[in-house]
């Protein structure tokens, strides 16, 4: 580092150190409870009517960090508040403004200029790989991001993971997992919707009295009553009763005290270290979410509580009972695997699952290895590894290698395990999987599966890295695994009500992994892109002028939809792809049918671009009408990138038999030199309701022996002529061919 850069780094760092000390001093002069409530209300108001992170301004994002920082300072330093010594409102406003400036300095001027050069100088290996430096910058910035999951799913992971620890919870706290979750539900309401409900009640109360006063001359009596009735409600809007942990949750003191810090109880935040008191460090509020003031524990920080509560409980138990650590890990792993298994069962109803599987390594029968989960559905095979370990909490700027090590352990290792299992399945035509005690569970034939997906699912949510794991150069991945948190997998289970739409999305998600241009920072951006562009890898490839594309804003509609689900009074419309009627009917039918290889057909239909989808649906809808008029079957065909022949079966019309349809399909394949074509039979009742489907994927080699016969036969021509006779019309050479190919008649079936 040059002397100039070193001087800049030290100067800017000194400015930030001075600002931290100023904030600390001013906080020490405040009434802690009033300051916390002021900051909480200030933050709360920025969240009202906001349903997506894109709704927030940069200033509002900074405001969202103030409460957790103030609480961390209060529990880490002495308090010198004296009644009447200072103008509290002036101090409060100064502190809020200074904290905003502190975050801006760290996130912008200092970090992006001086610190990067400092990192390169102190870690020479970073200079050799710009991707590592970019990773450090991103990890440090996302450390300020809050809100790991949508509110309506906030406690779902606890319901799956915590009950297995009931014995130790009862022993240490005289509480069960159900008791803890029930209290958290009450806190969730109390910290959010409860204040809005109280505000609405206050407005209704005021409106009611305004109407009453207008109808009665005795205004003084009403004014007196409104003051009396409104005060309790007003306290619920701006007071601290909603933040009192004991009165809100009903928890006992054992549990609350274990999760609380008193003023100046934890001075590690301001210990003698390089970034003392900086919000770069792990904040005390992330370790103990409640602040105790005058022997009462309060909760003012929603995200610090709900983002970290599972790991907070884990660490608290470890502190109180160190010998439980190994048992926690074992129970956690088993519970997390079961949770992921159940999510896939919800996504793919009727699927076959094998959990906690064992198999012998090739040529080493004595060396058995484990796989966490295998899911079988139709022609789809899913291999999943579930990692319940925790992601590092050390700031990237202090130890970026700990972040790389976490990713290697939680993503790279899982990917290699998936690849190992996949290699075993592909090692023979049929392989066996076993339980831990080597009892046979079942067999898997690799030829049965057209689609294979591998998953790395983590309990901890480090979305920004997992979403683009394959783009991180320091990870050596083998199997194109989809890396995501269990939180995001739960979101998919809520979004997709159709297994076949979910499998189609997986096909696009895997293509995104294999598309170097796509580098997203949030898992749900993949879903947003899928909804907007369907085969969204093609959208990225079309932007040829860029090496990498980071699409932003694509989860905005999803955020709005999911965040509204927590309040039944809000209108919430799920964002979805527009699917034409006939394709929707077919996919809906396939969802409940047991037709083998059905996901191939649904993927074929859903892979069509919007114009082809609409044409397909329109042709079929028209054919349902025209066939009734003509009293004969009129095949629908398409050429080019999307190739199909559709035969619509209806009662009371002349049907083509199997041989005629086969001749028709393969004549098209051979005449146009196609590599394949989908042959689809759709069966409708008298009310035009779809009640059965047959389909085949036809290839020229399937009829190689009949090639000459097909090319020279006149069966197809006879079929068309039969239609002509029934309609009593002659088809002009330049008119569209009735087979539905889109070509002129003279260049299509007239030549057969």
């Amino acid at each position: 580092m040059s002397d100039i850069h070193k001087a800049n780094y030290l100067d800017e760092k000194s400015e930030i150190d001075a600002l931290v000390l100023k904030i600390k001093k001013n906080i020490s002069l405040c009434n802690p409870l009033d300051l916390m409530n002021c900051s909480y209300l200030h933050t709360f108001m920025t969240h009202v009517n906001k349903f997506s992170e894109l709704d927030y301004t940069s200033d509002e994002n900074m405001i969202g960090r103030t409460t957790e920082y103030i609480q961390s300072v209060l529990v880490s330093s002495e308090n010198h508040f004296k009644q009447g010594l200072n103008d509290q409102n002036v101090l409060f406003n100064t502190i809020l403004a200074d904290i905003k400036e502190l975050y801006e300095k760290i996130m912008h001027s200092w970090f992006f200029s001086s610190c990067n050069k400092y990192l390169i100088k102190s870690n020479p290996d970073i200079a050799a790989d710009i991707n590592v430096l970019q990773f450090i910058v991103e990890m440090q910035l996302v450390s300020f991001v809050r809100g790991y999951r949508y509110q309506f799913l906030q406690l779902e992971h606890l319901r799956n993971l915590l009950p297995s620890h009931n014995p130790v919870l009862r022993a240490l706290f005289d509480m069960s997992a159900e008791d803890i979750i029930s209290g958290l539900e009450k806190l969730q309401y109390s910290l959010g919707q409860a204040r809005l409900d109280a505000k609405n009640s206050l407005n209704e109360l005021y409106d009611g009295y305004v109407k009453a006063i207008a109808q009665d001359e005795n205004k003084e009596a009403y004014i007196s009553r409104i003051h009396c009735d409104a005060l309790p409600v007003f306290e619920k809007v701006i007071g601290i009763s909603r933040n009192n942990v004991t009165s809100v949750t009903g928890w006992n003191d054992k549990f609350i005290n274990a999760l609380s810090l008193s003023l100046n109880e934890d001075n590690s935040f301001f210990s003698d270290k390089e970034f003392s008191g900086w919000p770069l460090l792990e904040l005390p509020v992330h370790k103990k979410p409640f602040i105790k003031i005058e022997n009462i524990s309060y909760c003012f920080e929603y995200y610090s509580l709900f983002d970290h509560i599972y790991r907070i409980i884990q660490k608290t138990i470890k502190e109180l009972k160190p010998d439980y650590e190994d048992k926690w890990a074992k129970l956690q792993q088993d519970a997390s695997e079961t949770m992921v298994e159940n999510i896939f069962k919800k996504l793919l109803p009727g699927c076959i699952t094998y959990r906690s599987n064992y198999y012998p390594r090739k040529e080493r029968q004595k060396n058995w290895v484990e796989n966490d989960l295998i899911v079988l559905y139709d022609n789809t095979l899913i291999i999943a590894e579930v990692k319940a370990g925790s992601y590092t909490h050390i700031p990237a700027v202090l130890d970026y290698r700990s972040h790389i090590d976490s990713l290697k352990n939680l993503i790279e290792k899982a990917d290699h395990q998936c690849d190992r299992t996949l290699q075993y399945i592909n090692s023979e035509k049929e392989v066996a999987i076993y339980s831990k005690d080597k009892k046979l569970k079942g067999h898997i034939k690799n030829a049965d599966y057209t689609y294979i997906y591998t998953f790395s699912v983590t309990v901890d949510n480090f979305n920004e890295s997992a979403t683009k794991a394959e783009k991180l150069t320091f990870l050596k991945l083998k199997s194109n695994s989809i890396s995501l948190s269990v939180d995001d997998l739960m979101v998919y289970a809520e979004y997709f009500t159709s297994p076949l739409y979910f499998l189609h999305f997986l096909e696009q998600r895997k293509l995104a992994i294999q598309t170097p241009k796509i580098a997203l920072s949030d898992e749900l951006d993949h879903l947003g892109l899928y909804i907007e562009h369907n085969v969204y890898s093609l959208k990225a490839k079309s932007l040829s002028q860029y090496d990498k594309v980071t699409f932003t804003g694509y989860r905005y509609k999803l955020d709005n939809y999911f965040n509204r689900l927590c309040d039944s009074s809000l209108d919430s419309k799920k964002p979805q792809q527009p699917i034409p009627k006939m394709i929707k009917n077919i996919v809906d039918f396939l969802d409940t049918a047991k037709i083998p290889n059905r996901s191939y057909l649904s993927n074929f239909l859903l892979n069509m671009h919007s114009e082809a989808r609409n044409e397909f649906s329109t042709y079929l809808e028209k054919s349902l009408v025209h066939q009734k008029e003509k009293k004969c079957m009129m095949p629908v065909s398409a050429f080019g990138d999307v190739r199909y022949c559709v035969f619509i079966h209806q009662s009371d019309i002349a049907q083509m038999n199997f041989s005629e349809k086969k001749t028709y399909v393969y004549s098209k394949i051979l005449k146009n030199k196609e590599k394949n074509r989908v042959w689809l039979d759709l069966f409708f009742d008298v009310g035009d309701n779809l009640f059965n489907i047959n389909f085949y994927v036809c290839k020229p080699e399937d009829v190689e022996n009949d090639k000459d016969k097909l090319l020279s036969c006149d069966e197809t021509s006879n079929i068309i002529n039969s239609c002509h006779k029934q309609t009593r019309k002659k088809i002009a050479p330049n008119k569209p061919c009735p087979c539905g190919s889109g070509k002129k008649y003279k260049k299509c079936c007239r030549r057969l």
Side-chain angles (χ1 to χ4, degrees):
M1 182 187 293
S2 69
D3 291 339
I4 294 176
H5 289 148
K6 184 175 181 179
N8 288 342
Y9 170 79
L10 294 175
D11 289 345
E12 290 182 5
K13 184 177 182 301
S14 295
E15 288 181 12
I16 295 174
D17 284 335
L19 184 56
V20 167
L21 291 178
K22 177 190 175 186
I23 294 170
K24 179 184 178 184
K25 179 181 177 182
N26 283 337
I27 288 176
S28 73
L29 299 175
C30 293
N31 180 314
L33 195 54
D34 289 346
L35 175 60
M36 288 298 299
N37 193 40
C38 171
S39 179
Y40 166 76
L41 291 174
H42 195 52
T43 301
F44 178 79
M45 292 310 298
T46 67
H47 294 322
V48 175
N49 293 325
K50 301 286 200 313
F51 298 100
S52 172
E53 64 184 58
L54 297 174
D55 291 328
Y56 291 85
T57 65
S58 58
D59 282 351
E60 288 171 335
N61 277 321
M62 298 298 177
I63 291 170
R65 306 283 75 80
T66 55
T67 306
E68 64 178 14
Y69 187 74
I70 290 171
Q71 181 169 327
S72 296
V73 173
L74 283 170
V75 301
S76 305
S77 55
E78 294 181 359
N79 185 259
H80 304 292
F81 167 70
K82 291 183 180 180
Q83 193 72 40
L85 184 64
N86 299 285
D87 186 330
Q88 294 288 287
N89 288 329
V90 172
L91 263 180
F92 292 171
N93 290 329
T94 299
I95 290 167
L96 295 178
D98 286 345
I99 293 175
K100 176 177 175 289
E101 182 184 355
L102 173 63
Y103 277 85
E104 287 176 341
K105 280 182 175 291
I106 291 174
M107 294 175 68
H108 300 298
S109 60
W110 174 78
F111 191 79
F112 282 110
S113 57
S114 301
C115 188
N116 285 350
K117 299 178 180 68
Y118 172 79
L119 283 169
I120 293 172
K121 180 66 177 179
S122 56
N123 300 275
D125 53 320
I126 295 178
D129 191 348
I130 189 64
N131 294 294
V132 173
L133 182 59
Q134 182 179 346
F135 169 74
I136 296 171
V137 171
E138 289 180 356
M139 287 302 95
Q140 198 58 62
L141 289 178
V142 300
S143 69
F144 296 115
V145 174
R146 303 291 180 263
Y148 290 165
R149 57 191 69 86
Y150 292 116
Q151 187 174 340
F152 81 104
L153 286 174
Q154 193 67 267
L155 299 173
E156 197 62 31
H157 69 302
L158 286 182
R159 293 189 177 97
N160 288 280
L161 297 176
L162 209 53
S164 60
H165 303 290
N166 266 330
V168 73
L169 290 171
R170 288 194 175 97
L172 293 176
F173 308 117
D174 295 326
M175 290 178 61
S176 67
E178 292 74 18
D179 296 331
I180 293 172
I181 293 169
S182 175
L184 287 169
E185 284 182 314
K186 295 171 185 174
L187 263 179
Q188 184 180 47
Y189 172 71
S190 189
L191 292 173
Q193 189 62 36
R195 288 185 188 269
L196 291 178
D197 290 344
K199 182 177 180 296
N200 292 335
S201 297
L202 193 64
N203 291 339
E204 291 173 4
L205 188 66
Y206 176 77
D207 291 342
Y209 279 115
V210 168
K211 291 179 181 178
I213 290 172
Q215 298 172 2
D216 195 319
E217 294 181 359
N218 190 7
K219 297 181 180 180
E220 290 75 11
Y222 280 109
I223 292 172
S224 176
R225 284 179 57 190
I226 192 171
H227 278 287
C228 182
D229 293 345
L231 281 175
V233 183
F234 189 69
E235 198 283 330
K236 291 179 180 179
V237 177
I238 67 167
I240 59 172
S241 62
R242 294 290 188 184
N243 304 91
N244 185 315
V245 178
T246 301
S247 63
V248 170
T249 65
W251 290 335
N252 61 38
D253 289 343
K254 283 185 179 180
F255 185 68
I256 295 174
N257 290 338
L259 271 61
S260 301
L261 286 173
S262 300
L263 302 180
N264 199 29
E265 183 178 347
D266 179 8
N267 55 20
S268 62
F269 189 46
F270 285 101
S271 62
D272 187 18
K273 52 186 140 186
E274 186 173 9
F275 299 106
S276 176
W278 287 38
L280 289 174
L281 307 178
E282 184 183 24
L283 300 176
V285 68
H286 295 164
K287 297 182 285 186
K288 305 283 185 180
F290 308 142
I291 182 170
K292 183 177 285 190
I293 302 173
E294 296 181 353
N295 292 320
I296 298 177
S297 290
Y298 297 94
C299 181
F300 291 98
E301 232 302 307
Y302 177 91
Y303 291 115
S304 292
L305 172 64
F306 288 101
D307 283 356
H308 303 281
I309 185 61
Y310 178 68
R311 293 302 180 190
I312 287 171
I313 293 173
Q314 178 185 0
K315 291 174 184 177
T316 302
I317 291 175
K318 181 182 175 182
E319 291 171 2
L320 299 172
K321 191 175 174 59
D323 60 347
Y324 189 74
E325 184 175 2
D326 290 341
K327 189 170 183 180
W328 176 285
K330 183 179 181 303
L331 292 173
Q332 175 183 249
Q333 183 63 35
D334 185 66
S336 59
E337 288 176 14
T338 302
M339 174 169 54
V340 173
E341 178 185 30
N342 289 334
I343 295 172
F344 274 114
K345 285 181 177 179
K346 183 177 180 180
L347 282 162
L348 303 169
C351 66
I352 298 170
T353 61
Y354 297 104
R355 185 172 61 82
S356 191
N357 310 307
Y358 289 80
Y359 57 90
R361 297 197 70 169
K362 190 176 181 181
E363 299 177 358
R364 298 172 66 182
Q365 293 293 321
K366 292 184 179 180
N367 187 0
W368 288 60
V369 291
E370 184 186 10
N371 155 261
D372 291 336
L373 182 65
I374 291 174
V375 182
L376 308 176
Y377 181 85
D378 186 33
N379 59 343
T380 299
L381 167 67
I382 292 174
I383 300 169
E385 292 293 334
V386 183
K387 294 300 179 184
S390 59
Y391 191 79
T392 182
H393 62 273
I394 303 172
V397 70
L398 297 181
D399 184 5
Y400 73 89
R401 290 182 181 85
S402 69
H403 288 257
I404 291 176
D405 290 342
S406 285
L407 292 176
K408 283 183 174 292
N409 184 53
L410 298 175
I411 291 182
E412 182 179 275
K413 183 178 179 181
D415 174 82
H416 290 188
Q417 290 171 324
C418 286
D419 182 69
R420 183 180 64 197
T421 303
L422 182 57
Q423 287 187 31
Y424 171 70
I425 291 173
N426 288 332
S427 64
E428 298 179 32
K429 291 183 178 180
E430 181 176 286
V431 297
I433 54 173
Y434 303 85
S435 62
K436 188 174 183 178
D437 55 4
K438 299 183 181 179
K439 290 183 179 179
L440 179 66
K441 284 186 173 183
H443 292 89
I444 298 176
K445 295 180 181 179
N446 56 36
D448 290 342
Y449 302 101
T450 307
Y451 304 100
I452 298 176
Y453 303 103
T454 56
F455 276 84
S456 169
V457 185
T458 61
V459 170
D460 274 8
N461 193 323
F462 43 96
N463 191 4
E464 294 78 8
S465 298
T467 303
K468 54 186 175 189
E470 71 281 355
K471 309 300 190 299
L472 301 175
T473 56
F474 50 79
L475 293 182
K476 309 303 178 185
L477 306 182
K478 296 181 178 181
S479 63
N480 288 321
S481 294
I482 297 172
S483 300
L484 77 173
S485 69
V486 70
D487 296 328
D488 290 320
L489 195 60
M490 284 193 292
V491 172
Y492 288 152
E494 291 296 326
Y495 178 83
F496 289 101
T497 56
S498 157
L500 293 178
Y501 283 108
F502 172 65
L503 292 177
H504 182 247
F505 167 70
L506 285 192
E507 184 185 36
Q508 310 314 315
R509 181 68 178 83
K510 187 173 181 178
L511 283 173
I513 292 174
Q514 299 167 329
T515 305
K517 281 181 177 292
I518 298 178
L520 306 182
S521 296
D522 191 285
E523 178 62 32
L524 292 187
D525 279 332
H526 284 282
L527 181 55
L529 279 163
Y530 170 70
I531 294 169
E532 188 70 24
H533 299 296
N534 194 32
V535 185
Y536 60 95
S537 57
L538 296 180
K539 175 67 175 178
K541 289 177 181 178
S542 70
L543 303 172
S544 56
Q545 68 270 37
Y546 303 107
D547 293 329
K548 287 186 179 180
V549 182
T550 301
F551 295 91
T552 59
Y554 277 88
R555 64 183 182 277
Y556 181 78
K557 293 179 181 178
L558 289 166
D559 287 344
N560 269 273
Y561 168 67
F562 284 121
N563 279 322
R564 289 171 183 268
L565 291 181
C566 62
D567 186 347
S568 58
S569 67
L570 296 174
D571 180 44
S572 183
K573 184 178 180 181
K574 182 191 289 188
Q576 293 177 298
Q577 284 190 19
I579 306 295
K581 177 182 176 181
M582 291 304 297
I583 291 181
K584 185 179 185 305
N585 289 347
I586 292 170
V587 176
D588 288 348
F589 177 85
L590 292 172
D591 264 334
T592 57
K594 299 299 180 183
I595 299 172
N597 207 30
R598 55 191 175 275
S599 58
Y600 179 93
L601 177 58
S602 63
N603 282 356
F604 172 80
L605 296 174
L606 294 173
N607 277 340
M608 294 181 187
H609 57 79
S610 57
E611 184 179 349
R613 284 181 177 184
N614 291 329
E615 286 180 352
F616 176 89
S617 185
T618 300
Y619 288 157
L620 265 58
E621 290 181 63
K622 288 182 177 179
S623 291
L624 280 171
V625 176
H626 291 167
Q627 286 190 167
K628 289 179 181 178
E629 295 173 351
K630 310 301 182 185
K631 298 298 182 181
C632 71
M633 182 175 283
M634 303 176 66
V636 176
S637 296
F639 293 78
D641 294 332
V642 181
R643 300 175 295 277
Y644 55 78
C645 290
V646 184
F647 303 95
I648 298 176
H649 295 258
Q650 297 171 281
S651 58
D652 299 328
I653 69 167
Q655 306 284 330
M656 295 170 65
N657 62 38
F658 183 84
S659 177
E660 291 173 329
K661 290 187 290 186
K662 180 179 178 181
T663 300
Y664 185 90
V665 173
Y666 282 99
S667 294
K668 300 294 183 187
I669 292 174
L670 297 174
K671 183 178 66 174
N672 295 290
K673 298 179 181 179
E674 298 169 347
K675 61 180 181 180
N676 57 39
R677 176 175 279 263
V678 170
W679 167 359
L680 179 59
D681 288 316
L682 301 177
F683 298 83
F684 293 86
D685 62 20
V686 292
D688 290 343
N689 300 305
L690 182 66
F691 70 88
N692 196 18
I693 292 176
N694 292 327
F695 82 97
Y696 315 90
V697 181
C698 305
K699 301 177 182 178
E701 56 266 29
D702 296 336
V703 290
E704 192 63 33
N705 295 332
D706 298 325
K707 183 176 180 180
D708 294 337
K709 178 183 176 183
L710 285 172
L711 284 172
S712 61
C713 79
D714 59 0
E715 286 189 60
T716 303
S717 180
N718 290 337
I719 294 166
I720 299 297
N721 289 333
S722 175
C723 289
H724 300 172
K725 291 177 182 178
Q726 292 186 49
T727 58
R728 297 179 180 179
K729 289 182 181 180
K730 184 177 180 180
I731 300 176
N734 290 320
K735 290 290 185 180
C737 183
C739 76
S741 67
K743 294 184 177 182
K744 292 180 179 180
Y745 176 55
K746 67 181 180 182
K747 294 185 177 180
C748 191
C749 292
R750 184 184 184 187
R751 298 189 301 173
L752 293 179

